[in-house]
Structure formats: structure tokens, C-alpha cells
Amino acid sequence: MRGSTSARIGIQAGHALRLSFLILPLLTASPAEAQHRDGEGDITMAMVGDLIITRALMPYDEPEFLKLRDLIGGSTVGFGNMEMLLHEYGPDIIPSAQSGGTYMAGHPDLARDLAWMGLDMLGLANNHTMDWGAGGMRSTQRALAAAGIKVAGSGENLALARAPAYMETMDGRVALIAVSSSFSEHMRAGHQRPDLRGRPGLAPMRFETTYVVPGDVYESLEEARAQGVGGIQGNFESGDGYRTITTPHQGDLQELLATVRDARRQANWVVVTSHTHQGGGNNYIPGRAGDEPGCLGLYQDDCNESSYVPADALVTFARAAIDAGADAFYAHGPHVLRGIEIYQEKPIFYSLDDFLFQNETPPFQPWDNYARYDVDAFRGLPSDFYDGREVASGGGRPAADYWWDGVVALSEFREGELYEIRLVPTVLGYGLPRPQRGRPVAASGEDAQRILTLLAALSEPFGTSIEVVGDEGVIRGPGAVRTDGSGSRR
């Protein structure tokens, strides 16, 4: 039996009273308290360079090593380029006819070490993506996903390879788009048709190259081509002296910028990364006297200075990505440092060098690599191959000190603006035996000063000033200058 009218009125009044207690806090709360707190415009991004990992990280406990883990893990999100394939040489792991050099292979468990290091989002587009075919690509994706790491840059077809990866954080939703300009053609992912599957592979950002040569040289090249001489490839133009001009492939560029604009609408933060070996042709490090050793005389071994200067096409692509909506752009691949630019008040890192460089301890190499270095392709063992490669290359990268430095870059944004970039130099064990070298520790003293001096010289042409504070570098962003006027650190 239903209750009386007065009873029903009392019940309704009670409901209204309770409802008022729920609504009033929402009406009286300030906007900052009422909104979701994940989109307030504050974030710290940690970026590192190439990750060539074949050995576990978790056993080590040096303070200089754990400092890097604390810095990366203490940021909102850690980014890197995964230049390693994770697999166990299963039946679907078949070596390609051509690789990026070393056929990269590490155990899938190493994905947990990368997550332990604080790395959250990794690009998979580079010149090693398809070293072991589609099977190696898929195994790497599975291993990283199992460790909770988001990946971008490779996929079953071109659309999936270009698709952003997304990560949810309390500092906003983060998107990562990863591409490569350095790869063998068989690695490039292909479009899918209604009647045919696409080609698995990486997301390409091709560069087109024009070689400017003196007029007499150009005429000789044209005459040789007219006579049917083979091997003269490339696009040549007549000009004064020698110069190399690179421009982005317009088809790749426009499709990638559309992806950036899409991610801009889907995420609070957008990061674009590119694996790019190509250097600046005949451009060199500024401020070097004519007879000094390469790289400002900071290294014992001379270096190819043009590799330290980004290709024009990379600069064009990076700026276009920022214009399309990216909050940060970082590149990797040359295994050397390149400069830093603040463009439209957003950071561009043209190369942070290596973070992990363990390319001499993959457990196996295919027949092709043994034969390439005149090592017995049937009786030779992995250490024979790595020794043979060092001999054939005059010592190779283990003998060149300038390959073994790096930088961890921490970009802090406040209220949507770049506030500060903290640059932490690293060393990877130059001169140590093969089982030890390749793992980073925070640099100090002369090592730190050498790295920061070179990075400052490389950044100066972009108008970027790096302040050295102890063993670290600092770039004050527009947000810091506007906050306290003087630009001093808070």
C-alpha cells in the first residue's frame, strides 16, 4: 500500500536535500578544482637517442647509472628510438638479404629492462626495422607491448606504420609519431588496397637529394650518361662548386603532416621523431679554425664534421611538424650529437646520439655478414665476426672516441609553454672491453664539459644558447623568461 501524501512529500524533500549536497560543491568549486586535472598544461618529457640493447640493465647499481634511471623514470613520459629487434630466432625470424649493418637481435625479456629504465614510448622506424623480416618486427612489437611500452613507426601496412601511439598520463594524453629517412627500400611499408594486403614495414620520410657540381663536371657527367656509361646515379645540377641539397619527399611529407594534425586533435601533447642518418653535406661545425682536428679538437680521433650538421630536409621536416601541431621533435640515427633548435617556442633535437650502444653482442649473425668481412661463413663464431668487422673498418666504432657520448634531454612545460630543457651528458664506456661498453652513466668533469661544449657549438647556428651549470646544460624556454622576467632559474 502506498504511503500518505505527507509521507511522499517528506521523502521527496529528503531526496532534494541530499541532491543539493551533491550539486552545491560543483556549483561553488573553482574551475581549476572542477576540471579534470590531466590537461592543465604541465608535463616533463625525457628523450634519449638510439637504443641498441643486448644486455640486461637491472643488475647495475652505480649511482651515475641510477641517476639516469631516476631522471627518466621521474619524468611524465620517456621517449627513445628502439634500434634493436627482440626475438628468439623462431621459425618466422628470417634474415633479410640486406640489413642496417649488424642484424640486430636481443632477447624479448630486455623490454622489461627498458620499462624499468623509465622508457614509455618508443619509435620503431629505423634502418634495422626489417633486419629479420616481418617476423622480427612483430616479435619486437609484442615484447614491448607486454612490458607496457607504447610503440609507433612500424606496422602491417603503411597506414598502421604511420599511426600515432597514444599514452594516458596525469599530465595529459601523449601521442608519438615515428618515421625514418634512412632505410633500405624493402623496409618501407606499403599502402593497402581493397583487393590486396599492404606491405609490412616502417613509416618512411624519404629525402630527395640533388648534387650541385661545377659546370665542367656536370657536362662530363651528362656526356658519360649519353654514352651509356652505367653507375652514374642521382640528380645533378650545374653550379659553382660542390654542394648537396636535400628536400623532403612531398608525398611522404604531406601524408605525415596530416597525421600530425590528426594527433593534435586527439591528444594534449604530440611528439614526432625521425631516424635520420643524412648529414649536412658540405656544411661544417662553426667556430673551428682551419687546421684544428675535427669537432673543435675535443676528441683524439678526427671526425666527419658534416655528419654533425643535420640535412636541410630534416630541418624542413622538423619545422613543418611543429607548424602542423607537434609540441616537440627529436631525431636520432647518425650516432653523433647534433644541435638543438627552439622553433616557434618548441624544442627540436636534431640528434641526442646514443643512449645504449651494444651492437657487438647480438648472439648470432647470418651467413651474409660473415662473408661480407671475409670471415669463415661456416666455421666462424660471433666474436670472429665482430673482430673481423673491426679489422676491416680500421678499428671501427670501438676505436673512435666520438661515438661513445650522448645526452638525456628533459623538457619541462608549464601551462602549455616550454619552461626549461635540462641536458644531462652521458658516456658509454669508450675503451672498455666489449662486454662492458655500451651502457650509459651520467658524465662528469672533463667528459661532461666536452659534450656540452660540442653541443653548444652545434646549437649556436640555430640561435640556441646553452648555459652550463655544473656537469649539466640548461636551455631556458620562453615560459621561464616570461615567468620571472630576468630569465633566471627558479
Side-chain angles (χ1 to χ4, degrees):
M1 180 178 176
R2 295 183 179 182
S4 64
T5 301
S6 59
R8 290 198 300 272
I9 292 174
I11 294 171
Q12 291 169 357
H15 284 318
L17 184 61
R18 286 193 294 272
L19 188 60
S20 69
F21 282 117
L22 295 175
I23 293 176
L24 281 175
L26 297 179
L27 296 177
T28 59
S30 67
E33 295 170 335
Q35 70 183 11
H36 286 72
R37 292 184 294 109
D38 63 338
E40 294 179 341
D42 297 344
I43 195 171
T44 301
M45 303 177 183
M47 294 176 179
V48 303
D50 288 313
L51 304 169
I52 300 179
I53 178 173
T54 54
R55 307 194 301 275
L57 300 175
M58 287 189 271
Y60 302 103
D61 62 0
E62 306 101 321
E64 298 85 355
F65 174 65
L66 294 180
K67 173 184 176 179
L68 301 178
R69 177 190 176 229
D70 292 342
L71 288 172
I72 300 168
S75 65
T76 307
V77 57
F79 298 92
N81 169 60
M82 186 63 176
E83 202 167 5
M84 176 57 62
L85 299 172
L86 303 178
H87 61 80
E88 296 185 85
Y89 301 94
D92 61 337
I93 307 299
I94 302 170
S96 298
Q98 187 175 2
S99 78
T102 304
Y103 283 73
M104 296 298 189
H107 195 279
D109 285 350
L110 293 172
R112 296 181 298 182
D113 291 79
L114 295 173
W116 173 85
M117 200 71 196
L119 293 163
D120 305 292
M121 305 189 81
L122 301 181
L124 301 185
N126 55 70
N127 57 300
H128 292 282
T129 302
M130 304 298 286
D131 279 0
W132 298 92
M137 178 194 77
R138 292 167 183 148
S139 176
T140 304
Q141 292 170 335
R142 289 194 299 268
L144 294 170
I149 296 174
K150 308 296 183 181
V151 298
S154 68
E156 295 299 315
N157 56 53
L158 184 55
L160 293 175
R162 282 184 176 152
Y166 292 99
M167 177 178 171
E168 311 299 328
T169 83
M170 272 307 300
D171 293 330
R173 193 181 197 214
V174 182
L176 175 66
I177 299 164
V179 303
S180 179
S181 66
S182 304
F183 54 87
S184 301
E185 272 296 295
H186 75 276
M187 297 185 178
R188 179 164 58 91
H191 282 292
Q192 185 149 317
R193 282 178 45 85
D195 56 356
L196 195 66
R197 290 177 57 186
R199 179 176 58 253
L202 60 80
M205 177 63 255
R206 287 168 286 180
F207 291 172
E208 296 177 338
T209 303
T210 300
Y211 302 99
V212 179
V213 299
D216 57 338
V217 175
Y218 179 78
E219 292 177 4
S220 298
L221 289 171
E222 290 300 295
E223 181 180 355
R225 281 174 166 169
Q227 296 300 320
V229 176
I232 303 176
Q233 299 179 353
N235 183 30
F236 293 88
E237 289 184 1
S238 178
D240 297 329
Y242 292 91
R243 192 157 49 98
T244 302
I245 301 172
T246 58
T247 56
H249 182 283
Q250 285 303 303
D252 287 350
L253 179 64
Q254 295 309 316
E255 291 180 11
L256 286 167
L257 294 182
T259 301
V260 174
R261 287 189 287 268
D262 175 66
R264 174 76 280 157
R265 298 165 63 188
Q266 299 293 98
N268 302 93
W269 304 96
V270 179
V271 175
V272 178
T273 183
S274 178
H275 192 75
T276 297
H277 293 180
Q278 294 93 326
N282 298 107
N283 299 315
Y284 297 97
I285 300 172
R288 176 194 165 191
D291 295 329
E292 283 182 354
C295 298
L296 302 176
L298 295 169
Y299 294 90
Q300 297 175 12
D301 298 286
D302 201 2
C303 62
N304 179 6
E305 288 194 354
S306 64
S307 66
Y308 286 74
V309 179
D312 294 335
L314 180 61
V315 176
T316 300
F317 172 44
R319 293 173 178 173
I322 298 293
D323 289 337
D327 296 288
F329 184 102
Y330 79 101
H332 31 78
H335 301 298
V336 296
L337 289 172
R338 287 176 176 168
I340 300 169
E341 178 179 17
I342 307 301
Y343 173 76
Q344 303 286 32
E345 303 189 352
K346 308 292 185 182
I348 299 175
F349 304 95
Y350 286 109
S351 176
L352 296 171
D353 208 339
D354 298 308
F355 186 70
L356 288 158
F357 196 42
Q358 300 171 345
N359 75 326
E360 303 163 284
T361 44
F364 301 103
Q365 291 294 302
W367 182 94
D368 310 75
N369 257 10
Y370 284 93
R372 179 181 177 187
Y373 292 105
D374 199 26
V375 178
D376 191 319
F378 293 101
R379 296 181 179 84
L381 295 173
S383 59
D384 299 318
F385 162 72
Y386 298 117
D387 289 345
R389 182 170 65 177
E390 287 183 27
V391 171
S393 60
R397 289 174 178 164
D401 52 357
Y402 51 85
W403 294 105
W404 299 88
D405 292 339
V407 168
V408 176
L410 298 109
S411 301
E412 180 185 356
F413 291 78
R414 296 186 185 181
E415 298 181 358
E417 288 190 312
L418 178 64
Y419 182 80
E420 184 177 88
I421 300 174
R422 182 180 174 189
L423 303 167
V424 181
T426 65
V427 289
L428 282 76
Y430 167 71
L432 293 177
R434 188 178 293 160
Q436 276 72 52
R437 62 182 175 242
R439 180 172 57 89
V441 296
S444 60
E446 293 182 0
D447 287 331
Q449 299 307 308
R450 178 189 66 247
I451 296 166
L452 294 172
T453 298
L454 178 60
L455 189 57
L458 296 170
S459 302
E460 186 273 333
F462 297 106
T464 304
S465 176
I466 298 176
E467 177 188 354
V468 177
V469 181
D471 290 327
E472 299 180 5
V474 175
I475 299 172
R476 289 189 290 273
V481 175
R482 279 195 279 270
T483 297
D484 50 331
S486 65
S488 62
R489 299 181 72 197
R490 297 200 298 180

